[in-house]
Structures are given as structure tokens and as C-alpha cells.
Amino acid sequence: MRDIVDRVRPEVHMALVHHPVHNKTGDIVTTAVTNLDIHDNARSARTFGLSSYHIVTPLSAQIELVRRILGHWTAGYGGKRVPTRLEAMSLIRISRTLDETIEAVIAGRNVKPYIVATGARRRATPVVPYAQLRKRMQEEAGPYLLLFGTGYGLAEPVFDLCDAVLEPIGDPDGWNHLSVRSAAAITLDRLLGER
Amino acid sequence: MRDIVDRVRPEVHMALVHHPVHNKTGDIVTTAVTNLDIHDNARSARTFGLSSYHIVTPLSAQIELVRRILGHWTAGYGGKRVPTRLEAMSLIRISRTLDETIEAVIAGRNVKPYIVATGARRRATPVVPYAQLRKRMQEEAGPYLLLFGTGYGLAEPVFDLCDAVLEPIGDPDGWNHLSVRSAAAITLDRLLGER
């Protein structure tokens, strides 16, 4: 049975955070933008009907790189050659900080997005099961903002901004090292995929 | 409720097929191996407890490339630096053909793997819902072999080898262009992820 009858089509945004995130030793760092993170997540975002996909990095050189990639796909030859990719890449936005992302999601409206962090580590803070957030998204239109960390995961200050934290995917006491591309795809499917 | 009580732990293998697959215009081609396909799918395979992950390509130069990458991660510096990645990469096998993959899965035993194709296109052939294959995997130990196509998808002769075909992910009449890395992650989660 597909639960598509009478359900709300929620407004969902996602952000891939390059700062502040942890490195292997737990320091707070800025990671480099990865071309395939841009593409794969944009394709997942488009598949599951997201409203935007924000690349968050404070580094001007990295922002310039993302702009060049986007230019190729949204205004240049790439989008002409593969129009479906243009559709996915059109969802991408660039922010210097998470605050900028949140402002862009609000976009002048009188709304507060429901902000949800993801991560591979088990946390003491309240965790929302996927089924519960999925149900909420079917009942309340949002906006929602899903945060994904690069490197070794979102740094602690990010969690202070969040209304909820999703459970880790896989066994948090076992082997738990999905790529952020795979984790984001699974998260969107669990929340928004047809059942 | 998690359905882990009394269920079988199935033996599941996956293969990423570089030949025979379609290109954009429908011809049957051999695609190039992509480094991130190797890594991302190996990490997904390890997360969901798969027994092996086969890279299928007939091209000797590509096989040599995969061997070099594996050497770095299983015997070389990469695995020392990131031991969890070594664990994921240790699942990788190399085959020249799908027949070789099937032989490797059988491994001299008197078993026939239950072979399942995936793909983004809607097909006329019988399609097995994810929930049905998930239930089978909880009741029958397998072995199972999941096939993922690169390029524009598995070529028709591959489907003749298969016992079942999974539904496309996303809306097959709408925008339906996940990366094979994201599609594989979602497929494994739907079949084997904790609920």
C-alpha cells in the first residue's frame, strides 16, 4: 500500500556542511568540496522532490569552484548534453554559513524551518526515529532542513541549531562508515520514498 | 519494532556491471570503472553485511586499475591509515563476466544463487516489490546476487539470467536519474536495513 492519499507534499531542503565539521582526530575543520557530492546529492534531492540543496562552505575559492561546476551544468554545455542533470543541478544553492542557509530557506517568510541533523555517531540527545519524522512530513508541510556533515561529521555547535537528530544508519556500535552520498540517499528514501 | 528476532542472516552478494550495459543511445557498451563506485558501494556493502561486491569488466586495463586501487587499500598504506576502509574494500572481487561472478558466488557449492536485477526503467517482466524480497531474505538464507548496471543500465541479455527484477526507485514515469551509488545504497537499505 502506498501512503500517498491525502498526504501533504512537504517542503524539504538539504544542506551539505563543509564547516564546522570534525576531522579524524576530532578537531573542527573545513573540508574540501567534492564534485561527486554535488552531483550525487543533487540527483537524490531531485528524485525525492526536495526544494533546494545547499552547499555550505566559508572558503571563497571553493565557492568559486562550485559556481564554475554549476555554470557548466545549468548554463553551459553539460546541461544541453544531459538535460536531466540540469534539472538536478538547478536545485543547488551556495551558502557561506549555516545561518545563511537557514535565511535562504526562510526567504523572507514568517516561518521557522524544522532543522534536522544526521550523523553516524550515537548521541545522548533525543533522537527522532525515521518513521516519526516521515509521518510528520506527511502531516505538516514544513519547511524542513536536513543537515549532512562531511569529514567525520557535524561539529557540536551545529546540533544546538537543530530541532531533532536522526538515528545513525546501520549499527552505531558496529561498522558504520557509509559515504555521505549514500547516507543522504538512504535518509531521503526513508523519509520521502514511496512505500 | 525491529524485525531481527528469529530471522535468517542471508548470504547476499552484489555486482556492479560495466558490460553488457546500455549507453545513452541504447547501444550495448562497456563503461569505465569509477573509483568512487568502488569505494561507496564497498562501504554500503559492508554496512549492510554483504558477503562480497563484484566489479564486472572484461577490460584487462580496467581490471589492472581495480587491482591497483585494492592493493592500496587492502595491502598498502590506505588500509593502514583508514582500517575501516580496508574492511569495506576487502569485500571486493573482480570478474571478467557475469558468468564468472555467478561461479564465484557458487564457489563449488551445490547452490544456485537467486539473481536479482535492478534498474531505473519500468519493465513489462514480473517485478518483485522490495518488501517481498526483504521477507524472502529473512526466511531463506540464499545466496542472493544483486546486479547493478552502470551507464544507462543493464542490457537485455542480463535480465535473462535473473530470477527477479526489482522495481525502479523513484517515479519511473517522472525524474528517475539517481547515481548507481545512491541507488545501490537505497536498495540495500530497503532489503537489509534495520526497521
Side-chain angles (χ1 to χ4, degrees):
Chain A
M1 284 288 289
R2 298 187 161 177
D3 52 7
I4 53 174
V5 182
D6 288 337
R7 78 176 184 193
V8 167
R9 186 176 158 81
E11 178 190 330
V12 184
H13 306 258
M14 68 180 275
L16 185 67
V17 179
H18 297 83
H19 177 90
V21 293
H22 290 295
N23 69 3
K24 196 179 174 182
T25 54
D27 303 325
I28 293 184
V29 297
T30 301
T31 57
V33 168
T34 303
N35 183 43
L36 225 49
D37 284 351
I38 300 177
H39 282 265
D40 279 18
N41 289 338
R43 295 162 77 179
S44 295
R46 179 66 184 80
T47 297
F48 294 105
L50 267 60
S51 299
S52 72
Y53 163 34
H54 294 255
I55 311 283
V56 186
T57 175
L59 302 179
S60 299
Q62 295 276 289
I63 289 172
E64 194 43 49
L65 171 67
V66 178
R67 284 189 184 140
R68 277 218 312 279
I69 293 170
L70 291 191
H72 174 69
W73 287 100
T74 58
Y77 180 65
K80 288 189 184 62
R81 192 171 60 82
V82 188
T84 56
R85 192 63 58 88
L86 182 154
E87 267 193 73
M89 300 296 262
S90 301
L91 295 177
I92 293 178
R93 308 287 179 269
I94 303 170
S95 318
R96 282 188 184 271
T97 63
L98 258 179
D99 284 343
E100 265 189 40
T101 303
I102 294 166
E103 282 307 313
V105 166
I106 293 172
R109 298 174 294 178
N110 186 23
V111 296
K112 193 197 157 306
Y114 187 81
I115 306 178
V116 182
T118 64
R121 265 171 299 141
R122 189 194 287 284
R123 297 176 57 81
T125 47
V127 158
V128 54
Y130 288 86
Q132 188 178 317
L133 183 56
R134 179 180 175 90
K135 187 159 179 292
R136 184 188 173 110
M137 286 180 168
Q138 290 170 5
E139 292 169 350
E140 298 179 37
Y144 299 88
L145 173 59
L146 305 173
L147 306 182
F148 297 92
T150 56
Y152 282 72
L154 296 166
E156 214 48 39
V158 175
F159 290 92
D160 297 337
L161 295 173
C162 291
D163 299 291
V165 181
L166 279 168
E167 302 168 90
I169 296 166
D171 178 1
D173 299 319
W175 199 96
N176 192 29
H177 307 279
L178 285 172
S179 78
V180 70
R181 297 168 290 281
S182 302
I186 290 170
T187 300
L188 297 185
D189 182 55
R190 287 185 178 186
L191 296 176
L192 298 160
E194 290 203 352
R195 292 282 182 278
Chain B
M1 284 287 288
R2 299 188 160 177
D3 53 5
I4 53 173
V5 182
D6 287 338
R7 79 176 184 192
V8 167
R9 185 175 159 82
E11 178 190 330
V12 184
H13 306 259
M14 69 180 276
L16 186 68
V17 179
H18 297 83
H19 178 89
V21 294
H22 289 296
N23 69 2
K24 198 179 174 183
T25 53
D27 303 324
I28 293 185
V29 298
T30 301
T31 57
V33 168
T34 303
N35 183 43
L36 224 51
D37 285 350
I38 299 178
H39 282 264
D40 279 17
N41 289 337
R43 294 162 76 179
S44 295
R46 179 66 184 80
T47 297
F48 294 105
L50 266 59
S51 299
S52 71
Y53 164 33
H54 294 255
I55 311 283
V56 186
T57 176
L59 301 179
S60 299
Q62 295 275 290
I63 289 173
E64 193 44 48
L65 172 68
V66 179
R67 284 190 184 139
R68 278 219 309 279
I69 294 170
L70 290 191
H72 175 70
W73 287 101
T74 57
Y77 179 64
K80 287 190 184 62
R81 192 171 61 82
V82 189
T84 56
R85 192 63 58 86
L86 181 154
E87 267 193 74
M89 300 296 262
S90 300
L91 295 177
I92 294 178
R93 308 287 179 268
I94 304 170
S95 318
R96 283 189 183 271
T97 63
L98 258 181
D99 284 344
E100 264 189 41
T101 303
I102 294 167
E103 283 306 313
V105 166
I106 293 173
R109 298 174 295 178
N110 186 24
V111 296
K112 193 198 155 307
Y114 187 81
I115 306 177
V116 181
T118 64
R121 266 171 299 141
R122 190 194 286 285
R123 298 175 57 79
T125 49
V127 158
V128 55
Y130 288 86
Q132 188 179 318
L133 183 55
R134 181 180 173 90
K135 188 159 180 291
R136 184 189 174 109
M137 285 180 167
Q138 290 171 4
E139 293 169 350
E140 298 180 35
Y144 299 88
L145 173 59
L146 304 173
L147 305 184
F148 298 92
T150 56
Y152 282 71
L154 296 166
E156 213 48 39
V158 174
F159 290 92
D160 298 337
L161 295 172
C162 292
D163 299 292
V165 180
L166 278 168
E167 302 167 272
I169 296 166
D171 178 1
D173 299 320
W175 199 96
N176 192 30
H177 307 281
L178 286 172
S179 78
V180 70
R181 298 169 289 281
S182 302
I186 291 170
T187 300
L188 297 184
D189 182 55
R190 287 186 179 187
L191 297 176
L192 297 161
E194 291 203 352
R195 292 281 181 279

